[in-house]
Amino acid sequence: MLSSFAPTRGRGVSPYVLLTLTPFFWACNWIIGRGLATSIPPMAMTFYRWLFAILILAPFALPHLRREWPTVWKNRRTLLLLGVIGVGSHNALAYLGLNYTTATNGVILNSSIPVMIIALSWIFLRQRLSAVQLGGVLISLSGVLAILSRGSLDTLATLTLNRGDILVMLSMLLWSIYTISLRWKPSGLNMLTFLFVIACIGDTTVLPLYLGELALGERMIFSVATMAALISVALFSSVLAYIFWNRGVEQVGASVAGLFVHLMPVFGTVLAWLLLGERLQLFHVAGIALILTGIFVTSRNAIPPVPAAPE
């Protein structure tokens, strides 16, 4: 199953489908994470999420890893960087930050990713969007703000930064760096090999933090519900979401892919309506329409990036 999601370039599922499914899986993770907040401390959440992801990946990735080990070892520094920032530090900071900030603040800050990616790509890679594409980004961002502000500017005006917001912002910065750094993903590596290696690196990075959390007396509550939730997050929000995101970035570029992060509040709103009984209001519909319009405008004018090295 998993191996089917590592096609050669130019074949397989549309990158736009993959980039749409990714924020859906992450939105599901957001809802599951809310229910686990009192049962699993942040470092334990990060560590076990990726431990289960590694166990899920292992049967599919190990045969590729054996064949591709010389490439892995040759590119160990690049893989080390991607694993530390894209798996370990990014997730740890996000879960830690959500202990101190509101859900509204967290989602708004999460929506800063596309802007960060565009800025970093311009500063370090000299990549620019056309005027039409920048307009699409602004349209999409206005849709996010419409949903999160509930149609009222007063809601946004009352938001203030706290230590949780700063931690989440740092997490978003690391994810943006990871995204633009995917252009240096070693050529010749199967996607499963790549994800397995950076997952192992990332989880090793989190291990000392998890042990420190245990030393401070923080304990995870083990139950059928928490284990099932962790396995679901590992499979969908970790394994499949990362495979889909990496493939999407590879095919359409970091700046366009980053815009799909704006779908998170769309899916979050709809899931909350369907699963939590929250009311779907007019500003939700207007915001969703603006977000989808912005993504359409930006993606239809995108030119696929030239990879750093052919696979």
Side-chain angles (χ1 to χ4, degrees):
M1 171 186 163
L2 290 177
S3 59
S4 65
F5 292 113
T8 58
R9 190 183 307 281
R11 293 165 52 192
V13 182
S14 163
Y16 299 113
V17 173
L18 300 181
L19 290 170
T20 299
L21 287 172
T22 299
F24 173 73
F25 292 151
W26 286 337
C28 292
N29 174 52
W30 186 275
I31 290 178
I32 292 173
R34 285 172 58 187
L36 293 176
T38 58
S39 302
I40 309 180
M43 297 306 119
M45 178 70 178
T46 308
F47 177 76
Y48 284 111
R49 168 185 174 176
W50 284 103
L51 177 62
F52 287 135
I54 290 168
L55 294 176
I56 292 169
L57 279 168
F60 305 96
L62 287 176
H64 297 288
L65 179 61
R66 293 189 189 98
R67 293 193 300 268
E68 299 166 3
W69 178 251
T71 302
V72 170
W73 182 251
K74 179 181 178 181
N75 295 277
R76 58 190 180 278
R77 291 184 179 86
T78 300
L79 293 170
L80 178 64
L81 173 65
L82 291 172
V84 169
I85 65 175
V87 175
S89 303
H90 156 67
N91 283 281
L93 285 171
Y95 285 125
L96 184 60
L98 288 174
N99 281 353
Y100 304 105
T101 190
T102 64
T104 299
N105 280 30
V107 177
I108 288 178
L109 295 174
N110 194 83
S111 297
S112 67
I113 288 176
V115 177
M116 288 184 180
I117 289 175
I118 290 170
L120 291 171
S121 296
W122 176 68
I123 293 171
F124 295 107
L125 305 178
R126 298 303 178 189
Q127 293 182 352
R128 298 184 181 182
L129 295 181
S130 67
V132 173
Q133 289 176 308
L134 284 174
V137 171
L138 293 177
I139 292 171
S140 184
L141 184 58
S142 69
V144 172
L145 295 179
I147 291 175
L148 299 177
S149 67
R150 303 178 65 85
S152 171
L153 293 178
D154 292 338
T155 302
L156 293 179
T158 58
L159 291 174
T160 57
L161 286 176
N162 57 37
R163 59 178 173 173
D165 296 327
I166 294 173
L167 290 170
V168 172
M169 282 292 288
L170 288 174
S171 172
M172 298 304 101
L173 177 61
L174 289 177
W175 182 254
S176 301
I177 294 172
Y178 167 81
T179 299
I180 67 171
S181 298
L182 284 173
R183 67 184 284 112
W184 293 294
K185 170 183 168 287
S187 62
L189 279 188
N190 183 279
M191 183 63 74
L192 296 177
T193 304
F194 173 72
L195 182 56
F196 182 79
V197 170
I198 66 169
C200 290
I201 292 171
D203 216 30
T204 303
T205 303
V206 174
L207 179 58
L209 301 176
Y210 170 52
L211 294 176
E213 191 175 68
L214 288 175
L216 293 174
E218 298 287 342
R219 294 291 187 273
M220 170 181 167
I221 300 175
F222 288 94
S223 67
V224 173
T226 57
M227 295 300 289
L230 279 172
I231 292 172
S232 297
V233 169
L235 176 59
F236 293 101
S237 301
S238 302
V239 175
L240 293 180
Y242 270 66
I243 290 175
F244 292 178
W245 181 261
N246 292 347
R247 178 61 65 185
V249 171
E250 182 181 81
Q251 294 189 7
V252 304
S255 295
V256 173
L259 190 62
F260 281 75
V261 173
H262 284 165
L263 286 175
M264 282 190 66
V266 174
F267 289 128
T269 299
V270 174
L271 287 171
W273 172 52
L274 292 174
L275 302 177
L276 304 179
E278 296 184 4
R279 185 179 176 186
L280 187 65
Q281 301 188 49
L282 181 59
F283 66 82
H284 290 132
V285 177
I288 289 171
L290 287 168
I291 290 170
L292 295 177
T293 300
I295 290 175
F296 174 76
V297 169
T298 302
S299 60
R300 74 187 296 267
N301 289 279
I303 299 174
V306 177
E311 285 192 16

